[in-house]
Amino acid sequence: MSSERGEQVVVDTYYTTVHTLGKENDGKRLRYMQKDGRFPVVFQKAPGDWSPYFMDIFTTLVEIRWRVMFLIFSLSYILSWIFFGLCYWLIAYIHGDVDDLDNAPCVENVRGFTGAFLFSMETQATIGYGFRGMTENCIVAIIVVTVQDVFSCLLDTIIIGIAVAKMASARKRAQTVGFSSCAVVNLRDGVMCLSWRLGDFRGNHILDGVARAMVVRYVKKSQGSIVMSYQDLDIQNRDIVLATPATIIHKLEPESPFYSLGPDALQEEDFELVVSFTYTGDTTGMLHQTRTCYKPTDIRWSQRFQDMLKVGKKHYTVDYARFNETTWVQVPQVSAEEFHRGRRPAVGNQYHRPLFTSEKTNGHTYHVNNDITEEVMHQTSL
């Protein structure tokens, strides 16, 4: 950019304070959603009320942590071995196999609890060493072995199903689809737009998905309670083919909640822009959702995302090193409402807004063209 004297002025945008908005103490406000898409929400219920977790025990086991899952996995087998081992020991004790070594046993080489426990483990794990075995002397022992075999099949099915469901969880696939770390405000075809990036970091690309965005605000009541206010944003091209990174665009038009907000007014606002992308995985066929949120500090005015896509002889090359990088562009430091109003002549005269307004950043003064209709890109170091 140049000044009126034609001198070249270098705009230093190395420091993030040049192109980020918001106050330094932004972290004091609890986020409605974390950047990784998690909600910092804790449900308080009456002590001992665990009925919702036991009514859907499969979902509860799928959602628990892996270390708890391994603990439940180990205890389920060990406790079942001990239970059926006690059953075999009780049968041997009643039948007299423990005290009388000459008695025809119900289970060969089971004369105490240790032998009964080993036989239970070998039966359920289908080890079959051949040293201990069931005889025809006790029908009760045969029934217990049958029950244990059926129970072991059922237990294996449940444990394996839960483990597979946890490994194929939609949360893991969602981590390979991400949004940019910031959103930007710039001009597109003469219209101010708020945009952010969406990309798939895996090779098996997502062919179809739906993008959504909403503004979440905190509304304080007179009694001190807080009510969440939600407002959907109108974005272009909700249906996205994510073969290459996509830019989600929201036009700052009269129906937009950001229409009357300039860069300074945006600092004083208290909201979160919650964005999401819902899609079906082409490998598993499961429904996934990736989401994140942007606060006013994450919105960069007068910037645009750097180009990532290059066309080669045989392939389209995507440079994900530039996924979060932005460049400086000329954008009026006014709200979209003032920008649109300034582009039209006033009623009754031919008054227009000044073509250029002066801006000062880090000691450098430069001029911004308020009537610009295309993005003029200037490389910066971020």
Side-chain angles (χ1 to χ4, degrees):
M1 289 172 280
S2 60
S3 64
E4 293 178 349
R5 295 176 297 177
E7 298 177 355
Q8 184 73 18
V9 178
V10 179
V11 180
D12 183 8
T13 60
Y14 180 82
Y15 299 99
T16 57
T17 54
V18 175
H19 40 67
T20 58
L21 302 176
K23 301 178 181 179
E24 294 295 332
N25 60 351
D26 178 71
K28 293 183 179 179
R29 165 70 71 176
L30 181 63
R31 282 181 174 269
Y32 174 75
M33 178 193 290
Q34 303 294 340
K35 293 292 288 185
D36 58 0
R38 294 181 299 174
F39 292 92
V41 179
V42 177
F43 295 100
Q44 293 183 350
K45 297 183 69 66
D49 189 3
W50 294 90
S51 57
Y53 298 96
F54 288 106
M55 290 177 60
D56 190 7
I57 187 65
F58 181 81
T59 303
T60 301
L61 294 176
V62 171
E63 292 180 348
I64 61 176
R65 298 180 179 272
W66 273 108
R67 55 176 176 267
V68 181
M69 181 60 200
F70 285 133
L71 178 62
I72 296 177
F73 173 84
S74 302
L75 289 177
S76 61
Y77 282 102
I78 293 175
L79 293 178
S80 64
W81 296 339
I82 293 176
F83 172 76
F84 285 103
L86 287 172
C87 294
Y88 295 130
W89 175 81
L90 184 61
I91 292 173
Y93 180 80
I94 295 175
H95 192 258
D97 300 340
V98 176
D99 299 327
D100 189 3
L101 300 180
D102 296 330
N103 185 30
C106 294
V107 183
E108 293 288 347
N109 298 309
V110 174
R111 302 291 181 174
F113 175 74
T114 302
F117 175 78
L118 292 175
F119 175 73
S120 174
M121 181 178 62
E122 294 169 14
T123 301
Q124 188 165 332
T126 64
I127 296 176
Y129 288 126
F131 182 69
R132 299 177 180 84
M134 182 62 60
T135 65
E136 300 177 356
N137 299 326
C138 300
I139 187 63
V140 177
I142 297 175
I143 294 176
V144 172
V145 169
T146 304
V147 172
Q148 186 177 9
D149 289 339
V150 175
F151 175 78
S152 64
C153 293
L154 178 62
L155 183 61
D156 292 340
T157 302
I158 295 175
I159 295 298
I160 294 174
I162 293 174
V164 171
K166 285 182 68 65
M167 289 186 292
S169 175
R171 297 177 183 176
K172 302 301 180 183
R173 180 64 178 99
Q175 294 177 0
T176 63
V177 178
F179 290 94
S180 57
S181 59
C182 65
V184 297
V185 176
N186 49 40
L187 287 172
R188 290 177 177 271
D189 298 327
V191 179
M192 277 192 176
C193 298
L194 172 67
S195 58
W196 55 92
R197 254 181 181 165
L198 173 66
D200 182 13
F201 308 135
R202 287 180 61 93
N204 50 338
H205 305 294
I206 300 169
L207 299 181
D208 189 20
V210 179
R212 291 192 60 188
M214 68 172 59
V215 176
V216 180
R217 298 180 184 271
Y218 301 88
V219 180
K220 290 187 178 181
K221 298 296 183 179
S222 57
Q223 297 81 4
S225 61
I226 298 178
V227 178
M228 296 295 181
S229 173
Y230 305 89
Q231 182 179 0
D232 288 330
L233 289 186
D234 184 18
I235 59 178
Q236 291 183 313
N237 302 325
R238 290 183 178 271
D239 298 325
I240 298 174
V241 177
L242 203 58
T244 59
T247 301
I248 314 300
I249 301 172
H250 166 66
K251 291 186 177 181
L252 303 185
E253 295 180 334
E255 61 274 9
S256 171
F258 307 112
Y259 182 65
S260 60
L261 298 180
D264 294 331
L266 195 62
Q267 300 182 33
E268 306 300 330
E269 289 293 318
D270 186 11
F271 68 89
E272 292 187 32
L273 175 61
V274 178
V275 297
S276 64
F277 181 61
T278 306
Y279 54 96
T280 302
D282 56 348
T283 303
T284 61
M286 298 177 61
L287 188 65
H288 306 265
Q289 185 182 71
T290 300
R291 55 183 181 263
T292 189
C293 71
Y294 300 107
K295 299 203 75 173
T297 53
D298 301 320
I299 299 177
R300 300 180 178 179
W301 201 281
S302 303
Q303 292 199 31
R304 57 158 289 179
F305 291 108
Q306 290 190 10
D307 295 330
M308 298 175 56
L309 187 63
K310 296 180 180 179
V311 181
K313 295 182 179 179
K314 296 183 179 179
H315 305 281
Y316 291 96
T317 304
V318 179
D319 185 8
Y320 268 102
R322 299 184 176 184
F323 185 72
N324 293 312
E325 293 187 2
T326 59
T327 56
W328 191 273
V329 293
Q330 291 179 340
V331 176
Q333 302 299 305
V334 295
S335 66
E337 181 180 10
E338 294 177 351
F339 174 71
H340 292 165
R341 187 188 307 156
R343 290 172 58 87
R344 302 178 187 138
V347 178
N349 56 44
Q350 297 299 321
Y351 170 74
H352 292 265
R353 284 179 56 90
L355 186 61
F356 290 90
T357 57
S358 297
E359 301 293 338
K360 191 173 183 179
T361 305
N362 289 350
H364 300 290
T365 301
Y366 59 93
H367 300 275
V368 177
N369 187 349
N370 288 327
D371 200 32
I372 189 169
T373 58
E374 63 179 359
E375 297 174 338
V376 181
M377 184 174 62
H378 298 269
Q379 296 292 334
T380 61
S381 174
L382 300 178

